[in-house]
Amino acid sequence: MSISAHVSDGDGPGGEDPRVTLGQLIVFHRGEWTEADYNALPEGVHVELHDGRLILVPEPTYEHQYAARVLANDLSEAIGDPHLVVGPVDVRMADGHRYRSPDLVVLRSRYRGRPADPQNVQLVAEIVSPGGGDEYDQKMIVYAEAGIAWYLIVQETPAGYFAELYELETTSNKYVRHSATAPAGELDLPEPFHGTLRLRQLS
């Protein structure tokens, strides 16, 4: 199926808008979503693809965006090249059956266009807002199966943000927790990184 549409904001004259809404795209789409369908979605649509179905991604809050920016600065310092820390960007996995958009990605080398190849990704980072999502189950499995070496989860609590760093165990192809912090603590990053995440600054 080929998709050619704009997402409606519902602000047309009289509250009407001839453009197709994301909800309509999802309701009237027949069968599973393919990689071609996903790539044909209009710009500005916040979704991810997982084995034929779309996952809606809510717009980030101010707190989430601020935490992501501060965290990106620390990761840029740790890797020594701000061009290698980006996000959110599409990462193509499972031969195009899965697309995820981590909050932050640490690359091995620069690339142009989209999507990112997981072989070029050293670390993915997800920032968890109160209430959480699927960062500890489905995303963890997807990133591990894609062979991404490091997975960082940063979670907001009333006492401040805390972090958990997971390393991919090649024998089991699963993540094992490498290190963690208390809320508002600091996380010293291992090789190949050289730096510290100062979580107190995220709030």
Side-chain angles (χ1 to χ4, degrees):
M1 175 182 177
S2 176
I3 300 171
S4 179
H6 296 284
V7 176
S8 171
D9 57 14
D11 291 334
E16 298 179 359
D17 195 314
R19 295 177 295 177
V20 179
T21 67
L22 176 59
Q24 289 170 324
L25 284 176
I26 294 173
V27 169
F28 293 108
H29 183 276
R30 295 183 179 179
E32 294 188 344
W33 288 81
T34 67
E35 181 177 20
D37 293 338
Y38 179 83
N39 287 323
L41 285 168
E43 283 188 37
V45 175
H46 299 281
V47 294
E48 297 174 326
L49 178 66
H50 186 91
D51 295 343
R53 63 186 178 89
L54 289 186
I55 301 171
L56 299 181
V57 180
E59 292 283 350
T61 63
Y62 166 84
E63 293 82 5
H64 185 282
Q65 291 287 67
Y66 179 78
R69 179 164 64 85
V70 175
L71 187 60
N73 291 339
D74 275 356
L75 287 170
S76 297
E77 194 175 299
I79 203 68
D81 186 345
H83 293 92
L84 299 181
V85 181
V86 293
V89 294
D90 279 346
V91 180
R92 181 183 187 270
M93 298 172 286
D95 295 327
H97 295 289
R98 297 173 184 172
Y99 275 72
R100 292 289 176 146
S101 299
D103 290 319
L104 292 170
V105 170
V106 178
L107 300 167
R108 300 182 188 278
S109 60
R110 302 183 195 183
Y111 76 100
R112 299 183 68 86
R114 61 177 292 268
D117 185 328
Q119 294 185 2
N120 190 31
V121 176
Q122 292 192 78
L123 177 148
V124 291
E126 296 284 3
I127 300 170
V128 186
S129 300
D134 61 350
E135 286 79 9
Y136 286 96
D137 39 66
Q138 193 176 84
K139 285 185 180 180
M140 184 171 280
I141 294 170
V142 167
Y143 294 144
E145 290 180 348
I148 297 171
W150 298 95
Y151 179 33
L152 175 68
I153 299 177
V154 176
Q155 185 162 352
E156 184 182 6
T157 74
Y161 286 87
F162 73 88
E164 294 175 293
L165 181 64
Y166 292 84
E167 182 177 10
L168 185 63
E169 187 178 69
T170 54
T171 54
S172 66
N173 204 37
K174 294 181 179 179
Y175 285 117
V176 294
R177 194 165 78 165
H178 177 277
S179 52
T181 73
E186 294 188 351
L187 182 70
D188 292 324
L189 295 171
E191 296 287 345
F193 313 102
H194 306 277
T196 300
L197 302 182
R198 296 172 285 272
L199 300 173
R200 185 179 300 275
Q201 299 181 102
L202 272 60
S203 298

